[in-house]
Amino acid sequence: MLKHDGTVLVRADQFFSEEAVAEEDKMIYHMPPEQRAHIEKLIAEYDIRPPFDEKKCKEEYKEMMEWSVQSQKERLPQNIVEQIADIRVFTLGYCTREILLQLKKQSAENTREMDRVSKEYREAILAQDIPDEIRSRVQFHDCTVTELLTGEEAVIRFDTSGGFTNMNKLTLIAPEIIKREGEIVGSYWLYQELYQIDNGYELHVLFYGEDMPELIVRCEDILAEEE
């Protein structure tokens, strides 16, 4: 179609006609039967979902808010909590300018303290004359503990599927258990510190699980292997 200003308009259905699309540009997706069945199942389950339960929703929201309010009270300095007119409103993300300024000041102080502790930790670690090869033997971050045996040796076995190593067995020679708290088996290896002592090493491990289990062991040597 020719407009009065000389431009040419082409109908969209003419431009995108079958003739205008080269065969190699076509993409046809065939859905596998199992995928179609899964989608149809999800649709069917959605269609028969129970009606919206307003009472239940209010109860769950009330429980969530009560937990959030308590959490805010526990993590904030008491002098700031006492200045907040309505902790429920604060929990929703609102506060006065005065409270916000105090929170920013507190946050800056917390950051400085964390930097100080981190600096001291780095200095303490660097002062340890521990070979990198030994340090590499206790790198089990995100691995799940499947077994912990203690005796003349302390043996820890792992499921390494969520971790960053293929080594799934850690052996601590001539161990002395200094601290063992929480349910270690079934938890995730989260963080470790390794120190040198007179006759070997002292390993501190924090695990991710219920009540954040901890383990501190002194030993003469450390072995890591893939079974």
Side-chain angles (χ1 to χ4, degrees):
M1 178 185 298
L2 183 65
K3 295 180 63 177
H4 68 276
D5 62 356
T7 59
V8 178
L9 298 180
V10 180
R11 286 172 46 194
D13 59 346
Q14 177 184 350
F15 184 80
F16 294 103
S17 64
E18 287 293 330
E19 293 76 18
V21 180
E23 192 66 30
E24 60 269 19
D25 293 331
K26 294 180 181 179
M27 182 185 300
I28 301 176
Y29 176 73
H30 296 284
M31 183 181 295
E34 59 273 14
Q35 185 179 3
R36 179 183 294 275
H38 176 68
I39 293 175
E40 291 176 347
K41 178 175 178 293
L42 293 176
I43 293 174
E45 291 174 350
Y46 182 82
D47 288 340
I48 63 172
R49 69 192 187 282
F52 175 70
D53 190 335
E54 182 177 350
K55 181 180 178 181
K56 181 181 178 182
C57 184
K58 287 182 177 179
E59 291 174 351
E60 291 178 348
Y61 178 78
K62 181 174 180 294
E63 292 177 0
M64 180 190 69
M65 281 297 298
E66 289 175 347
W67 180 87
S68 297
V69 166
Q70 185 60 33
S71 177
Q72 294 287 6
K73 288 180 178 179
E74 292 175 355
R75 74 186 188 92
L76 290 174
Q78 185 60 32
N79 66 309
I80 294 181
V81 173
E82 293 172 353
Q83 298 177 59
I84 298 175
D86 192 333
I87 192 69
R88 297 169 301 176
V89 177
F90 179 85
T91 301
L92 292 173
Y94 299 94
C95 68
T96 62
R97 180 178 296 277
E98 291 75 14
I99 293 295
L100 180 59
L101 292 175
Q102 291 185 59
L103 290 174
K104 288 184 176 181
K105 180 180 178 181
Q106 183 67 46
S107 177
E109 292 176 358
N110 291 343
T111 299
R112 285 193 294 270
E113 179 63 14
M114 288 179 61
D115 290 343
R116 182 191 66 78
V117 173
S118 296
K119 180 175 181 293
E120 289 183 358
Y121 167 72
R122 288 193 299 270
E123 291 173 350
I125 291 299
L126 290 174
Q128 301 291 314
D129 187 22
I130 301 177
D132 290 341
E133 195 273 332
I134 295 294
R135 292 188 185 280
S136 67
R137 297 178 188 178
V138 292
Q139 301 296 323
F140 293 96
H141 185 71
D142 282 351
C143 294
T144 306
V145 178
T146 59
E147 187 177 39
L148 172 56
L149 304 174
T150 56
E152 294 184 0
E153 297 178 341
V155 177
I156 307 177
R157 288 185 170 87
F158 302 90
D159 173 0
T160 62
S161 57
F164 306 90
T165 179
N166 292 323
M167 300 297 177
N168 57 5
K169 180 182 177 182
L170 177 66
T171 303
L172 306 177
I173 307 299
E176 177 188 356
I177 306 297
I178 305 301
K179 182 177 182 181
R180 178 177 177 178
E181 291 185 357
E183 189 60 43
I184 293 174
V185 175
S187 61
Y188 298 88
W189 182 295
L190 182 63
Y191 177 77
Q192 78 282 334
E193 294 178 1
L194 187 62
Y195 300 94
Q196 193 168 48
I197 56 179
D198 291 340
N199 61 335
Y201 305 97
E202 183 172 297
L203 175 65
H204 297 225
V205 185
L206 177 65
F207 300 88
Y208 181 79
E210 186 174 356
D211 298 327
M212 302 298 287
E214 291 184 65
L215 179 66
I216 299 178
V217 184
R218 290 176 179 168
C219 61
E220 294 181 2
D221 200 3
I222 300 173
L223 303 177
E225 59 186 305
E226 181 179 1
E227 290 187 318

